[in-house]
């Protein structure tokens, strides 16, 4: 919520001083010691399409804008989000519906303001006022306040954030509207003819242009505006626009105003500059504070006003460094003053690596978001010792977020507007690209999350509210049922396992409501029989000793039994072998419909497919439903742990190409792996278009190469699918053409349904995988190092690998592919536990001659070989443990131990 304080200039100055003193000298309250476990994050809205900014009303309703023009309103009483209207916008490049804020007197006048890019041929940005009343937005009420000429031929930097400050002054963030994709991604000062859009001196460095600025105007009652005192330039100067408050901005993406101190904050998205001291500073992104109007550096300075060198793009001659005390704009594209005000340092600046100056900024890609400054006394009319507003500990502190790095931090400021300290906020929680932070009228923090991919409708986009839960908290309730669907009568066993009191181990009272509005059981884990057809919302209400309650529901559907699918296989149910068919027979049975075997269920109603995929995953691609696979790979795990997912998807293109497309462009060889790994670490320039790739200096060469190997492996993934009869023989042949994949037999059936409760659909998947298992793909392990070469190394005696749910039918022997040059050791193969039955034991001696004479493959000169040992005959499905122990007088270490590449279960 943007707060307005009306007062004269003299009184305002006095209040600023008083506010600073109050911030420093306020008495200690019980909220000074923050208990972080009392914070909770509640989802309010999802299914959002590129949400950018929010505004919270005095009634806790939240206006949400989406880049493509939709205006939505979250209604807390109904817990729904409705679309109010869609503004006709141009949403190419980075334009669209970009900013929203409410009038300080919104409760009375119902005015809402938007920054947007109107559809049509005219390239402009527009700030307009609309009427939002009775949960309706009236597009015909538009009052255009300001239009800003732009260009729409080249990307980038539209900004667009809006915020009101004291005295009804509206701040407007405007991007530099300049293409940043010059060689090396240094500052944008290309003055060549025809390259005007590559020169930020014509916008951010131009006193006579509104772009690359944060404007400040005073909104009048009729929707016109005047210029408040204290802006950067006086009115009447033909060479300077009086609306300018802060100039020298690149992409001031999100702004906020400290309502007590009248300080303006913003995050400015920086360049992707390579490190070349002859040209200027390394790439910095920045948070700024303007305690007064000023020039903040771009495109001449970055971070602590570190200067760039002048550069002639025609001759490629490097000139003198710009002077932060006396910046001069001599560009042929400048229409304003040549002499600019002295540059003001950023509040916080950081690059791709870990900052040595500022704590808790993280590493990787960069996109800074400025949030609000909190003052608890602004919310005193709606807060008390039990409400969920932020603690007074945060009084006077600035909330910031990082879009790429997925965190929220809190900044404590000195009285003169510098950083005193930075601390993490809710560090154990997940934020999916936080793009706006706002305070509600009751002192709670609202967080808007854009979601994973740029320019995409993301499943993880959403609106959240952060609550601080004081005093006695409500119990945490969990409800489970042993079955949720079945015929009449249906007896269900319920469980409250996991329910607890977060404040104390007090005795909880349980009230179950099964099919009545009256309490039907007080047992924590009751059973209940449903004797009538219907759908029931079973409710558990839990109360602590102080009467604080919470509840959870589970739906039970009674009157139609779930069908059952079984697959009978004549042979091993886990593995396939070359050209070895196995017989199979599928049966589907249903209490109401009969069964496939009896002929009362038609084969036409059963869908059975066989698929094969080389995707190295635990869940193969399934034919009928085209289910996505959850990838299990060391390289992909590294990608997920980085910020790479913001710009690339496996198959989805974002601002960068999909990994599948990258894999098609590059051959898998050591030269390309090394080249692409270096690009991940150092960043790169627009090989796939205009957008640069961020540097990742925190990623090691080995990890970067592991990531690249995974990406390039995607080109080799193939899949096929076909429908098969409900009985016959399975022929495993596809792996001979494309090795390493998995087969999946997928069966589905939709029953005929019953009155009231409808039909049930069931689906079962049955997997067959290669009997040669990569050691690093083990389901569990202890004391095992997994190298980038896909080798599992036992680092200590007692280390182990486990492969889960292996059908032991027809398994005769076990082969190990190992490095005989290492110290050797003893491998004991056990069933189901580390002390389970022994089915194989093998002693491996070190072969100092680097030759291996065991049965199987011999690789002279490399030291790797295969050894095979018989298995004790066992039936059934078991977990298989490989336990390693040192031989006498040998002690394994991280770099001196038995190493395995693969193990293979053999049927001979």
């Amino acid at each position: 919520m943007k707060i307005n304080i009306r007062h004269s200039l003299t009184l305002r100055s006095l209040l600023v001083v008083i506010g600073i003193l109050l911030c420093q000298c306020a008495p200690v309250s019980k909220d000074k010691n923050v208990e972080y476990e009392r914070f909770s994050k509640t989802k309010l809205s999802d299914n959002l399409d590129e949400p950018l900014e929010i505004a919270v009303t005095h009634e806790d309703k939240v206006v949400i804008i989406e880049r493509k023009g939709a205006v939505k309103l979250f209604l807390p009483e109904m817990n729904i989000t409705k679309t109010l209207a869609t503004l006709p916008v141009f949403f190419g490049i980075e334009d669209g519906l970009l900013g929203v804020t409410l009038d300080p007197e919104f409760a009375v006048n119902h005015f809402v303001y938007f920054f947007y890019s109107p559809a049509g041929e005219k390239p402009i940005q527009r700030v307009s006022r609309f009427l939002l009343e009775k949960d309706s937005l009236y597009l015909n009420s538009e009052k255009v306040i300001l239009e800003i000429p732009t260009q729409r031929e080249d990307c980038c930097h539209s900004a667009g954030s809006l915020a009101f400050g004291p005295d009804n002054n509206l701040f407007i963030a405007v991007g530099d509207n300049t293409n940043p994709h010059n060689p090396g991604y240094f500052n944008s000062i290309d003055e060549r003819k025809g390259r005007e859009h590559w020169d930020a001196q014509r916008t951010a460095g131009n006193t006579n242009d509104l772009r690359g600025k944060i404007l400040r105007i005073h909104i009048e009652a009729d929707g016109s505006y005047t210029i408040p005192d204290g802006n950067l330039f006086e009115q009447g100067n033909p060479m300077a626009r009086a609306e300018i408050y802060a100039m020298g901005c690149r992409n001031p993406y999100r702004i906020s105003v400290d309502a007590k101190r009248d300080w303006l904050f913003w995050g400015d998205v920086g360049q992707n500059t390579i490190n070349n001291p002859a040209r200027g500073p390394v790439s910095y992104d920045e948070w700024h504070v303007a305690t007064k109007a000023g020039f903040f550096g771009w495109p001449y300075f970055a971070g602590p006003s570190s200067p760039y060198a002048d550069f002639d793009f025609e001759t490629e001659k490097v000139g003198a460094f710009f002077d932060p005390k006396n910046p001069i704009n001599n560009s042929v594209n400048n229409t304003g003053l040549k002499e600019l005000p002295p540059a003001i340092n950023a509040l916080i600046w950081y690059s791709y690596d870990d900052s040595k100056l500022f704590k808790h900024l993280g590493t990787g890609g960069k996109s800074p978001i400025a949030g609000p400054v909190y003052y608890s006394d602004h919310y005193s009319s709606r807060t008390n010792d039990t409400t969920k507003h932020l603690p007074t500990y945060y009084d006077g502190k600035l909330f910031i977020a990082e879009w790429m790095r997925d965190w929220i931090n809190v900044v404590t400021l000195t009285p003169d507007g510098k950083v005193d300290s930075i601390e993490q906020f809710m560090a154990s929680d997940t934020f999916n690209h936080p793009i706006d932070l706002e305070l509600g009228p009751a002192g709670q923090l609202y967080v808007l999350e854009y979601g994973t991919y740029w320019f995409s409708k993301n499943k993880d986009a959403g609106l959240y509210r952060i609550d601080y839960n004081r005093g006695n908290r409500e119990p945490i309730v969990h409800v489970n049922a042993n079955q949720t669907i079945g015929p009449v009568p249906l007896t269900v066993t319920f469980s409250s396992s996991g329910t607890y009191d977060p404040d104390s181990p007090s005795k909880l009272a349980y009230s179950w409501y099964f099919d009545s509005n009256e309490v039907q059981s007080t047992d924590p884990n009751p059973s209940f029989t449903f004797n009538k057809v219907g759908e029931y919302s079973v409710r558990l209400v839990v109360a602590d000793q102080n009467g604080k309650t919470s509840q959870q529901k589970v739906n039970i559907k009674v009157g139609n039994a779930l069908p059952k699918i079984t697959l009978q296989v004549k042979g091993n149910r886990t593995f396939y072998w070359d050209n070895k068919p196995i017989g199979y027979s599928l049966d589907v049975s249903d209490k109401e419909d009969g069964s496939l075997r009896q002929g009362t269920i038609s084969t036409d109603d059963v869908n059975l497919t066989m698929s094969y995929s080389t995707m190295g995953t635990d869940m193969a691609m399934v034919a009928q439903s085209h289910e996505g696979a959850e990838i299990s790979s060391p390289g992909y795990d590294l990608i997920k742990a980085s910020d790479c997912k913001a710009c690339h998807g496996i198959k989805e293109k974002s601002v960068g190409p999909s990994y599948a497309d990258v894999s098609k462009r590059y051959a898998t060889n050591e030269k390309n792996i090394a080249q692409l790994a270096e690009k991940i670490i150092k960043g790169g320039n627009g090989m796939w278009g205009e957008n640069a790739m961020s540097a990742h200096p925190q990623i090691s060469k080995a990890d970067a190469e592991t990531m690249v190997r995974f990406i390039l492996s995607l080109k080799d993934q193939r899949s096929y699918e076909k429908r098969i009869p409900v009985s016959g023989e399975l022929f495993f042949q596809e792996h001979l053409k494309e090795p390493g994949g998995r087969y999946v037999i997928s069966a589905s059936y939709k029953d005929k349904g019953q009155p009231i409760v409808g039909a049930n659909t069931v689906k079962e998947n049955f997997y067959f995988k290669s009997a040669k298992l990569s050691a690093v793909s083990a389901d569990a392990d202890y004391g095992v190092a997994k190298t980038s070469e896909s080798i599992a190394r036992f680092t200590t005696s007692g280390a182990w690998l486990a492969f889960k749910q292996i059908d032991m039918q027809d398994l005769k022997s076990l082969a190990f592919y190992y490095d005989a040059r290492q110290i050797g050791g003893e491998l004991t193969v056990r069933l189901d536990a580390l002390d389970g039955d022994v089915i194989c034991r093998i002693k491996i001696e070190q072969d100092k001659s680097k030759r291996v004479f065991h049965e199987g493959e011999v690789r002279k000169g490399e030291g790797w070989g295969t050894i095979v040992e018989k298995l004790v005959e066992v039936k059934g499905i078991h977990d298989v443990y490989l336990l390693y122990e040192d031989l006498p007088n040998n002690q394994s270490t991280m770099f001196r131990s038995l190493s395995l590449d693969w193990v293979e279960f053999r049927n001979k």
Side-chain angles (χ1 to χ4, degrees):
M1 184 176 183
K2 318 295 195 309
I3 297 172
N4 178 40
I5 300 175
R6 296 178 178 273
H7 43 63
S8 68
L9 182 61
T10 303
L11 179 57
R12 181 178 68 192
S13 302
L14 178 61
L15 288 177
V16 167
V17 174
I18 294 172
I20 293 173
L21 292 174
L22 287 174
C23 176
Q24 293 176 316
C25 305
V28 176
S29 75
K30 64 182 179 182
D31 279 342
K32 286 293 181 179
N33 297 317
V34 177
E35 299 176 55
Y36 294 101
E37 69 276 5
R38 289 185 175 272
F39 283 109
S40 62
K41 180 184 178 186
T42 302
K43 179 184 286 188
L44 305 179
S45 182
D46 55 12
N47 196 34
L48 302 176
D49 186 1
E50 289 196 77
L52 294 190
E53 196 165 38
I54 56 176
V56 189
T57 76
H58 60 291
E59 299 173 308
D60 292 300
K61 299 174 183 178
V62 185
V63 181
I64 309 167
I65 61 166
E66 297 177 342
R67 192 173 70 89
K68 297 182 182 68
V71 181
K72 298 183 175 181
L73 184 66
F74 169 71
L75 303 170
E77 290 186 2
M78 303 170 65
N79 196 32
I80 62 170
T81 299
K82 61 180 288 189
T83 300
L84 301 182
T86 300
L87 269 68
V89 299
F90 166 77
F91 54 86
I93 50 178
E94 294 177 355
D95 284 354
L97 176 54
L98 304 178
V100 61
T101 193
L102 303 177
D103 194 279
E105 303 296 335
F106 177 80
V108 177
N109 60 33
H110 308 292
F111 290 148
V112 60
Y113 299 80
F114 297 117
F115 183 114
Y116 73 103
S117 314
E121 298 298 322
K122 188 177 181 181
I124 58 170
Q125 305 286 23
R126 179 179 291 167
V127 179
S128 288
R129 188 183 75 185
F130 292 82
L131 184 66
L132 197 171
E133 190 173 19
K134 296 180 180 179
D135 301 338
S136 296
L137 178 65
Y138 299 92
L139 294 185
N140 59 1
S141 68
E142 180 177 15
K143 171 65 178 178
V144 177
I145 293 172
L146 178 67
E147 288 189 343
I148 303 166
T150 64
Q151 58 83 19
R152 292 179 177 175
E153 299 172 38
D154 292 292
C155 182
C156 298
H157 307 154
S158 300
S161 184
L162 299 174
F164 270 99
D167 288 335
N168 212 13
N169 291 332
L170 177 63
F171 290 85
I172 305 166
V174 189
D176 73 358
N177 193 216
T178 297
N179 193 320
H181 306 116
N182 62 72
Y185 276 72
F186 291 95
N187 54 328
S188 302
I189 54 171
D190 191 344
E191 299 176 22
R192 290 174 293 176
K193 188 174 182 180
R195 299 280 291 183
E196 294 83 5
H197 299 168
W198 278 257
D199 185 9
Q201 297 173 109
R202 89 198 190 291
T203 58
N206 186 349
T207 63
N208 206 25
D209 193 289
L210 296 181
R211 292 169 291 179
K213 314 292 193 304
I214 299 178
L215 315 177
R216 187 178 69 151
I217 59 177
H218 181 78
I219 303 297
E220 302 296 336
D222 62 357
S224 63
Y225 73 87
T226 56
I227 305 300
D229 293 336
N231 278 8
L232 189 56
F233 303 108
E234 295 291 335
Q235 296 185 63
N237 188 339
M239 302 290 284
R241 293 293 297 263
E243 294 92 341
I244 297 171
Y245 186 76
M247 69 175 290
C249 303
R250 185 175 181 268
N251 194 17
Y253 199 71
R254 195 61 70 235
I255 66 176
S256 73
V257 183
D258 183 329
K260 284 193 175 183
R261 292 175 285 205
D262 200 8
W263 290 355
L264 170 69
F265 297 94
W266 69 96
D268 209 343
V269 182
Q271 282 288 71
N272 297 304
T273 312
I274 61 175
N275 192 8
N276 183 350
R279 290 284 302 275
V282 70
S283 174
Y284 287 129
D285 280 40
E286 304 159 345
W287 281 276
H288 286 273
V289 58
T291 60
K292 61 180 181 179
F295 172 57
F296 292 85
W298 180 254
Y300 303 115
F301 315 101
S305 297
S306 297
Y308 288 103
D310 200 357
F311 184 77
D312 189 322
F313 283 81
E314 190 72 47
T315 64
E316 297 188 356
K317 181 180 179 181
V318 179
F321 284 94
F322 293 103
D323 181 1
K325 295 182 180 179
N326 185 33
I328 304 295
N329 184 349
N330 281 322
S331 171
V332 295
N333 300 310
N334 179 29
T335 61
L337 302 172
K338 289 188 176 182
E339 295 184 5
L340 305 181
I344 299 173
N345 292 356
L347 174 69
I348 301 167
W349 58 94
Y350 63 113
S351 191
Y352 301 109
D353 52 358
D354 199 20
S355 173
K356 297 178 181 178
L357 295 174
F358 305 103
K359 292 183 178 180
H360 307 305
L361 299 186
T363 59
K366 310 177 274 84
S367 286
I369 300 293
V373 177
Y374 178 71
Y375 294 103
S376 58
D377 59 354
H378 282 168
Y379 313 100
S380 57
S381 63
R382 289 190 54 177
T383 60
N384 54 49
D385 287 345
T386 63
T387 53
K388 298 182 178 182
H389 58 285
L390 294 176
T392 56
Y393 170 79
Y394 294 109
D395 274 4
K397 299 179 190 290
L398 168 71
F399 284 79
I400 61 174
E402 227 296 343
W403 188 88
M404 289 285 282
R405 301 181 185 183
D406 293 338
W407 53 247
I408 298 175
N409 283 347
V410 180
V411 183
T412 300
L413 301 164
T414 63
D416 59 347
K418 293 182 173 56
V419 173
D420 179 83
S421 64
I422 301 175
E423 61 189 277
Q424 295 174 297
F425 181 75
M426 296 182 67
S428 61
D429 284 74
T430 299
F431 298 100
N432 295 307
H433 288 1
I435 198 164
D436 194 19
L437 311 178
E438 295 289 345
L439 291 166
Q444 292 149 297
L445 183 66
Y446 289 80
V447 179
L448 183 66
E449 298 184 4
Y450 181 90
T452 301
Y453 301 115
W454 270 336
F455 304 127
S456 300
K457 183 177 181 180
N458 293 303
K459 292 181 180 179
D460 53 356
L463 173 67
Y464 296 83
R465 188 186 66 240
I466 306 297
D467 296 328
Y468 188 71
N469 302 289
R470 291 170 175 78
N472 181 39
R473 288 170 284 176
E474 60 192 28
I476 306 300
V477 181
H478 294 277
V479 175
N480 297 288
N482 69 329
Q483 54 183 336
T484 58
I485 298 173
V488 177
L490 181 66
T491 299
V492 181
T493 300
F494 294 94
S495 168
S496 62
S497 177
T499 299
Y500 69 97
D501 186 337
D503 294 312
S504 66
S506 62
K507 185 177 181 180
L508 298 174
Y510 299 83
S511 299
W512 290 90
Y513 302 82
F514 302 116
D515 61 357
S516 169
N517 291 324
E518 303 294 329
V519 176
Q520 294 171 282
S521 176
T522 58
D523 190 324
N525 305 300
S527 292
F528 185 81
T529 299
F530 297 88
N531 293 305
K532 293 183 179 180
V533 174
E535 293 191 42
Y536 299 90
S537 181
V538 174
R539 184 164 53 104
L540 169 61
V541 178
V542 179
D544 65 14
Q545 290 180 327
N546 295 310
K548 196 87 168 186
T549 65
S550 60
Q551 61 180 294
Q552 192 181 57
K553 299 177 181 179
V554 60
N555 291 321
I556 306 295
K557 188 162 74 170
V558 181
N560 187 15
L562 275 175
K564 295 181 180 179
I565 296 176
T566 57
L567 182 70
Q568 298 296 326
V569 174
K570 296 178 181 179
N572 191 282
R573 298 174 62 91
T574 301
F575 301 120
Y576 61 79
W577 287 276
D578 296 352
N579 292 313
K580 180 177 174 59
I582 62 170
Y584 74 94
S585 177
L586 184 79
D587 190 32
V588 178
S589 61
D590 183 85
K591 182 176 181 180
E592 293 83 14
D593 298 352
S595 73
L596 187 63
R597 185 170 299 167
Q598 295 170 350
T600 52
I601 291 179
S602 170
T603 57
D604 293 337
D605 294 331
V606 178
N607 190 55
L608 185 65
T609 61
M610 181 176 182
S611 301
Y612 178 76
S613 174
T614 59
M615 176 73 78
T617 68
D618 290 331
M619 293 294 290
M621 295 294 202
V622 179
Q624 188 66 18
S625 63
H626 300 285
E627 293 170 345
E630 176 59 32
I631 300 170
S632 177
S633 157
Y636 189 58
D637 289 343
L638 289 168
I639 288 170
K640 289 192 294 183
S642 73
D643 60 20
C644 301
K645 61 184 182 294
C647 303
H648 311 273
I650 297 295
K651 296 181 180 179
E652 305 88 353
K653 182 183 183 300
S654 184
V655 293
S658 71
Y659 292 126
D661 287 340
V662 174
S663 74
K664 294 173 184 176
R665 174 174 287 192
Y666 295 95
T668 304
N669 55 53
E670 293 304 316
K671 179 181 177 181
N672 284 340
I673 290 170
Q675 174 189 336
L676 293 173
E678 183 178 20
K679 187 171 183 179
I680 289 174
I681 296 169
K682 294 185 177 180
N685 290 357
M687 296 294 291
W688 292 84
E690 293 184 329
N691 296 301
M693 179 175 177
S694 299
H696 300 83
Q698 77 281 4
I699 296 178
S700 70
K701 180 181 178 182
D703 283 352
E705 289 182 348
T706 301
M707 296 161 76
V708 172
R709 291 179 194 278
F710 163 75
I711 293 167
L712 297 186
S713 74
L714 297 175
K715 72 165 63 70
D716 300 321
Q717 293 171 6
R718 303 287 187 271
S719 65
Y720 94 104
E721 61 193 38
K722 66 178 180 180
R723 186 161 181 168
I724 59 176
V726 296
S727 64
E729 285 189 324
L730 299 174
F731 293 90
F732 301 112
Q733 297 174 322
E734 295 298 322
H735 68 278
L736 299 176
K737 296 179 289 185
E738 300 286 347
R742 295 190 178 202
Y743 295 90
V744 59
I745 312 302
S746 180
S748 62
Y749 172 69
K750 181 178 180 179
D751 68 20
K752 295 180 174 60
Q754 296 296 317
I756 301 177
V757 293
N760 295 319
T761 299
V762 293
K763 182 173 185 177
E764 295 287 348
N765 296 324
F766 308 93
Y767 300 96
F768 295 87
K769 59 187 176 183
S770 171
K772 182 181 286 186
L773 303 177
S774 168
V776 298
S777 70
D779 299 300
D781 61 78
Y782 165 75
V784 176
K786 299 177 181 180
T787 73
S788 60
E789 293 82 17
S790 299
I791 304 300
R793 182 177 293 151
F794 297 99
T795 64
T796 182
S797 187
W800 53 265
L801 294 170
F803 297 94
K804 301 294 183 72
Q805 297 295 287
I806 302 296
D807 186 0
M808 302 302 294
Q809 176 78 29
D810 300 330
L811 300 184
K812 306 296 185 183
S813 62
L814 193 58
F816 306 88
Y817 187 57
Y818 69 101
D819 185 354
R821 296 167 297 182
Q822 301 298 331
I823 64 172
E826 186 172 75
L827 280 173
T828 303
V829 183
R830 296 178 179 269
L831 292 183
D832 299 318
L834 290 172
D835 58 354
D837 294 340
V838 177
I839 59 171
C840 177
R841 182 176 278 122
I842 188 167
K843 185 179 291 185
I844 300 175
E845 302 280 359
Q846 184 180 19
D847 189 342
K848 297 182 179 179
S849 69
K850 297 186 179 180
R851 294 191 56 164
V852 182
F853 299 99
H854 299 294
E855 176 189 338
E857 182 181 4
V858 176
R859 305 182 76 180
K860 294 182 180 179
E862 296 184 16
W864 282 85
T866 305
I867 188 169
V868 181
E869 186 67 27
K870 290 183 178 180
L871 290 171
V872 174
E873 185 176 348
V874 180
K875 293 184 178 180
I877 295 176
H878 299 272
D879 296 341
V880 178
Y881 286 80
L882 277 62
L883 175 64
Y884 169 78
E885 294 174 287
D886 288 336
L887 294 175
N889 302 319
N890 283 334
Q891 184 176 1
S892 56
T893 65
M894 172 64 186
F895 300 104
R896 184 175 178 270
S897 60
L898 178 64
S899 298
L900 289 182
D901 187 351
W902 49 258
V903 297
E904 182 179 20
F905 291 88
R906 296 182 175 180
N907 62 351
K908 59 183 179 180

